[in-house]
Amino acid sequence: MPLTAQDLTESPRPRGKGRPRTVETAAPSLVELLNLVRTGAANTRQELERQSEFGRAVVADRLTMLGDLGLVDESELGTATGGRAPRLVRFAARRAAILVATLDQTAIGVGVADLSGKLLTEHHEAADLTAPPAELADRLTALFRWSMERHAPQGGIWGISLSVPGAVQGATEGDFLTATPPVLPAWEGFPLVETLTRDFGVPVWMRSSVETMTMGELHAGAAIGTRSMLFLKVGRRIGAGIVCDGQLYRGAHGAAGLIGSLPVTSGGRSGPLDALAGSDMIQREGLSAAQDGRSPMLADIQRRGGEITAIEVSQAAQIGDPASVAILTESGHLIGQVVATLANALNPELIVLSGSIVQTNDILLAAVREAVYGASHPFVTRDLRIIRSQMGSSAGLVGAARVASEQLFAPSFLKEWVMQGSPLAHPAFAALQDRLSQTAPPPPPPRAGTGQELPR
């Protein structure tokens, strides 16, 4: 007789002598079958038997268990090929939901995703990351609750995934955060992860914005199906996301791709790529061009009281302002030189550029292409495509959702909760909640002057 979800949710007893009970040995096969279904590697019982090499009875029994736990669905019929139509096995992606957020220097984004990482809703608004952390955390919590009210998931929330503007150390497969890592200088000492875990009762994961945007591009953008890719985010900081063999490469400590620290030389000046090619350089050189007469277009913006930012320089370059074109070209060439080194080392199929400067003009993209094609081995550039991201601000949210989805169902993590049907029953997470319940939460932020209405 197949085991039921009720059987599985009973408290496990310590096993004594003799043969192990079925409920204690089913986890590995449940993990394997669920991930075959979830990743689309198999969608019928016959395919599951063939790919897993489990017998028909085992596959049937485990699918019954997964169905009782609400993790798979077999209600849909496939196409008949000469006989009876097979019953399709689908991952129940709406079994629960994931809350996702991007914290940028000037904006905050929140969204709700299903368990496959598909974004169901999103919202973006201006924010100042240098504001008091308690105030911003309070706003993030309010936006999460507002999102849940609009898209109330029937199975509840199973995790929170954050995208932050800095490298996140450590975090091995499946591990959720038990404390806030030191990623934001102004947030030192503020327990963001602990606050969200306490408020929502779910595990929290965190990755850098470059990593989440790379994941978004890989799974929902121009890089779908790509095995090797470089993703570049160009802004005040310049970072790279590296995809090898279809997987995001994070390095030994989660710091892979910090190319903005690499030294470059331009016009007799030497310094890190961030300083000589990032948005601060573009803004600074644009302001200088407006003041010394090289750019009448930028000077006119200043005369009318406008502010010269990297975006103004980028827009001026796009409509032909020679000084702005020269500034963007110099930035693109420097970035391209560094990217060419990476391309020669990694031989990617695709290079994707992102960031507001890249999105507003073609000059920088063209300069990067010129530098990469000019400094790379012919084998490297033979089929190489260098393109601009089309995902915009959604890339970080989509990627954050994908991070949480992969972590929830990573075999090492999944095997600890699949028998109970929910990651909230994971023993390590239950221990974290118990520890947090014994500590006092941080004081709420002051309300005067900080209240913001929720979006309509």
Side-chain angles (χ1 to χ4, degrees), residues 222-223 226 228-231 348-352 384-387:
T226 301
S228 58
M229 175 185 73
L230 284 175
F231 178 90
E349 304 167 61
L350 178 67
I351 297 175
V352 180
L384 176 64
R385 293 181 296 136
I386 304 176
I387 62 174

Side-chain angles (χ1 to χ4, degrees), residues 408-425:
L408 280 168
F409 296 97
S412 61
F413 189 72
L414 176 58
K415 71 180 183 183
E416 298 293 334
W417 66 261
V418 68
M419 305 291 279
Q420 286 74 36
S422 167
L424 309 188

Side-chain angles (χ1 to χ4, degrees), residues 51-119:
Q51 297 217 28
S52 69
E53 297 185 352
F54 295 137
R56 180 178 298 181
V58 172
V59 169
D61 181 73
R62 301 302 187 263
L63 286 180
T64 300
M65 295 163 67
L66 291 170
D68 288 345
L69 293 168
L71 294 170
V72 299
D73 175 78
E74 291 188 275
S75 59
E76 186 180 348
L77 288 177
T79 304
T81 55
R84 190 169 59 179
R87 195 163 290 281
L88 298 178
V89 185
R90 303 291 195 193
F91 174 55
R94 298 295 180 94
R95 169 72 174 80
I98 301 164
L99 293 175
V100 293
T102 55
L103 303 178
D104 207 342
Q105 296 294 343
T106 58
I108 184 172
V110 296
V112 178
D114 68 18
L115 294 180
S116 71
K118 180 182 177 184
L119 206 58

Side-chain angles (χ1 to χ4, degrees), residues 41-255:
N43 63 5
T44 65
R45 292 191 176 208
Q46 292 75 20
E47 289 179 356
L48 286 167
E49 291 167 19
R50 185 167 58 251
Q51 297 217 28
S52 69
E53 297 185 352
F54 295 137
R56 180 178 298 181
V58 172
V59 169
D61 181 73
R62 301 302 187 263
L63 286 180
T64 300
M65 295 163 67
L66 291 170
D68 288 345
L69 293 168
L71 294 170
V72 299
D73 175 78
E74 291 188 275
S75 59
E76 186 180 348
L77 288 177
T79 304
T81 55
R84 190 169 59 179
R87 195 163 290 281
L88 298 178
V89 185
R90 303 291 195 193
F91 174 55
R94 298 295 180 94
R95 169 72 174 80
I98 301 164
L99 293 175
V100 293
T102 55
L103 303 178
D104 207 342
Q105 296 294 343
T106 58
I108 184 172
V110 296
V112 178
D114 68 18
L115 294 180
S116 71
K118 180 182 177 184
L119 206 58
L120 304 175
T121 181
E122 63 182 303
H123 165 78
H124 301 267
E125 65 180 37
D128 181 5
L129 206 60
T130 62
E135 183 181 320
L136 203 55
D138 192 50
R139 181 63 181 168
L140 180 61
T141 299
L143 288 173
F144 273 156
R145 296 202 185 286
W146 170 75
S147 299
M148 290 170 61
E149 289 173 3
R150 294 180 67 209
H151 298 273
Q154 294 181 350
I157 299 296
W158 276 7
I160 292 175
S161 185
L162 304 177
S163 170
V164 296
V168 180
Q169 296 181 11
T172 56
E173 182 187 87
D175 282 351
F176 53 87
L177 293 171
T178 57
T180 305
V183 290
L184 303 173
W187 288 52
E188 286 179 358
F190 183 80
L192 175 63
V193 168
E194 295 89 328
T195 299
L196 293 175
T197 302
R198 186 183 284 110
D199 286 353
F200 293 94
V202 297
V204 176
W205 290 274
M206 185 183 290
R207 293 289 185 274
S208 75
S209 57
V210 174
E211 289 179 318
T212 56
M213 294 173 77
T214 303
M215 291 286 282
E217 201 70 46
L218 180 64
H219 294 287
I224 292 177
T226 301
R227 304 298 297 172
S228 58
M229 175 185 73
L230 284 175
F231 178 90
L232 296 179
K233 182 186 178 189
V234 180
R236 176 175 289 178
R237 300 279 182 263
I238 300 171
I242 302 168
V243 173
C244 295
D245 198 22
Q247 301 293 321
L248 178 69
Y249 177 72
R250 303 195 68 231
H253 304 291

Side-chain angles (χ1 to χ4, degrees), residues 335-413:
I335 296 169
Q337 289 172 22
V338 172
V339 173
T341 302
L342 285 174
N344 280 300
L346 301 171
N347 186 201
E349 304 167 61
L350 178 67
I351 297 175
V352 180
L353 274 69
S354 185
S356 55
I357 302 168
V358 178
Q359 304 294 340
T360 51
N361 81 89
D362 300 321
I363 312 297
L364 191 140
L365 177 64
V368 170
R369 282 176 174 156
E370 184 179 55
V372 172
Y373 288 129
S376 300
H377 191 283
F379 281 175
V380 171
T381 56
R382 187 172 61 185
D383 299 315
L384 176 64
R385 293 181 296 136
I386 304 176
I387 62 174
R388 176 192 297 125
S389 171
Q390 302 298 316
M391 294 191 68
S393 57
S394 296
L397 288 177
V398 173
R402 190 72 190 198
V403 167
S405 173
E406 293 196 354
Q407 296 298 302
L408 280 168
F409 296 97
S412 61
F413 189 72

